[in-house]
């Protein structure tokens, strides 16, 4: 059974950086696409970034292109989201989700999330 646990969120100032981690257990990460999503209060869920090991594809939302980078360490079964130049509009609950093979995960298999708050 797939389990995902996020960590790394926090309160930061505009322009700061954070790295989120998504630790995956129960499956071999090679067989899964891992996506990062975020949801702010009163807003729709947003797809942030996704990487598929199967077809080596990487995807980013336009709102984060050039600022966020998704990487994965298959040896550690962990996927990271490096977030630079954070903006107040990046404030949200961030969670990772898994789906076999290809982006984007449906979100049915997901972690609890980690809160990111960007405020001066």
């Amino acid at each position: 059974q797939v389990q995902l646990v996020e960590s790394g969120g926090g309160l930061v100032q505009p322009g700061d950086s954070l790295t989120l981690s998504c630790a995956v257990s129960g499956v071999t990460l090679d067989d899964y696409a891992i996506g990062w999503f975020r949801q702010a209060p009163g807003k729709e869920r947003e797809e942030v970034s996704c990487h598929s090991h199967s077809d080596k594809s990487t995807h980013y939302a336009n709102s984060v292109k050039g600022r966020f980078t998704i990487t994965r360490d298959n040896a550690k079964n962990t996927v990271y989201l490096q977030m630079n130049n954070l903006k107040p509009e990046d404030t949200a609950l961030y969670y990772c989700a898994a789906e076999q093979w290809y982006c984007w995960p449906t979100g049915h298999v997901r972690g609890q999330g980690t809160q990111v708050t960007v405020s001066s």
Side-chain angles (χ1 to χ4, degrees):
Q1 185 173 356
V2 184
Q3 289 189 316
L4 303 99
V5 178
E6 303 91 341
S7 61
L11 172 63
V12 297
Q13 294 187 337
D16 285 352
S17 297
L18 274 178
T19 300
L20 305 183
S21 299
C22 173
V24 183
S25 61
V27 295
T28 301
L29 196 56
D30 285 358
D31 297 337
Y32 281 77
I34 303 295
W36 283 97
F37 299 81
R38 66 187 182 187
Q39 189 159 21
K43 293 190 176 181
E44 297 279 324
R45 183 188 80 167
E46 182 182 8
E47 298 170 339
V48 176
S49 183
C50 183
H51 180 265
S52 166
H53 185 72
S54 298
D55 63 6
K56 304 297 188 287
S57 65
T58 301
H59 309 266
Y60 295 98
N62 287 334
S63 58
V64 307
K65 275 181 184 176
R67 299 188 298 122
F68 290 14
T69 304
I70 188 170
T71 58
R72 57 198 286 160
D73 185 336
N74 284 1
K76 294 183 178 179
N77 252 33
T78 300
V79 177
Y80 304 96
L81 185 68
Q82 172 70 41
M83 306 186 296
N84 297 327
N85 190 22
L86 283 161
K87 304 176 180 180
E89 52 264 42
D90 294 319
T91 296
L93 179 71
Y94 285 71
Y95 63 91
C96 55
E99 191 88 25
Q100 272 198 303
W101 312 125
Y102 306 115
C103 295
W104 285 78
T106 60
H108 292 146
V109 179
R110 52 163 286 185
Q112 293 292 322
T114 184
Q115 179 67 36
V116 173
T117 302
V118 185
S119 175
S120 54

